Amino acid sequence: LFASLRRGFAEAGFLEVETDLMIEAPAPEEYIESIPAGTKFLRASPEIAMKIMLAAGYEKIYQIGRCFRAGEHGSRHREEFTMLEFYAAGFDYRELAGFTCGLIRDAAIALSGWPETMFRGRLVDLGGEPEVITVEDAFRRYCDLSMAEADARDLFDELMVTRIEPQLGLDRIAILTDYPANRASLARLSPDNPRVAERWELYIGGLELANAYGELLDPAEQRARFEATLRFRAARGMLSYPLADDFFAALEAGLPQCSGCALGLDRLAMVFTDAADIAQVRAE
């Protein structure tokens, strides 16, 4: 699996990179806790370090490495897991979706000879056109409720997990795109519709595998979002993080128009082995 992915990146002109596991300042997220390591933190993602590399002139980069998130343990989660993260300058976020689907298709062929896999009792076609559905359309199709209504009634996450995600990617790859603006995180807002963010997630067999953004380039907007998230975390007694000064220095220097994706390789291995639990593909 790793060999196939590396071939795909090499053929597309990406450079494999390696960044620190221990970092000074994690990107704050509302429900993800980093693990303290002395005076630093184990990374939940290599995102900030890789974006600093983009600002320094590295145009296409990827990394396969361990990441860590406190308190995550279940059939699809572990505190320690393997992430594939990649960024490309000049890529539109939808263009990156097509590239990501191609990596998965080629991996399937490398592993079994066919662009298909059996997962959760269904044959999934990984070689055809993916289903692309907006979050708004998914709520109307599976919940009879608009995205905005679900968000306003604090039902967004519950309905995503219980009603929408189980329906995605059952027979082919699904790309769930255009998340509400208040769930943009490090994604930029759509210039065509500022109510939504340039963000997509990829699903196979109801399992979320990847999260991607058209990356936010505005340092003032990114700082405001980080500070708002830190206030959210403080109000709930979560860990306090310093602001990532080196990241903001890179944004101020100028990040190129780019898109990036994070893909969980343990979950992708679950798909290719038809595993019901992440413990079946990770030794502990």
Side-chain angles (χ1 to χ4, degrees), residues 232-259:
F232 176 93
R233 293 173 57 84
R236 286 154 181 78
M238 301 173 74
L239 284 175
S240 175
Y241 303 148
L243 280 176
D245 293 333
D246 50 354
F247 172 55
F248 285 105
L251 287 179
E252 293 285 355
L255 192 67
Q257 187 276 323
C258 58
S259 295

Side-chain angles (χ1 to χ4, degrees), residues 72-146:
E72 296 203 359
H73 193 92
S75 63
R76 297 176 297 169
H77 300 87
R78 283 295 185 271
E79 286 195 324
E80 179 180 356
F81 58 98
T82 303
M83 181 88 86
L84 164 64
E85 194 142 343
F86 52 100
Y87 295 86
F91 269 48
D92 174 81
Y93 77 120
R94 291 181 183 266
E95 183 182 2
L96 198 70
F99 176 76
T100 306
C101 291
L103 287 174
I104 294 172
R105 175 202 62 221
D106 292 348
I109 294 171
L111 290 168
S112 68
W114 303 97
E116 302 171 335
T117 191
M118 285 295 301
F119 185 55
R120 295 179 170 175
R122 302 180 72 129
L123 183 66
V124 185
D125 178 9
L126 303 176
E129 285 294 315
E131 177 189 21
V132 179
I133 180 172
T134 67
V135 175
E136 178 67 71
D137 287 345
F139 269 92
R140 293 196 180 279
R141 181 182 303 178
Y142 300 118
C143 306
D144 296 323
L145 197 67
S146 75

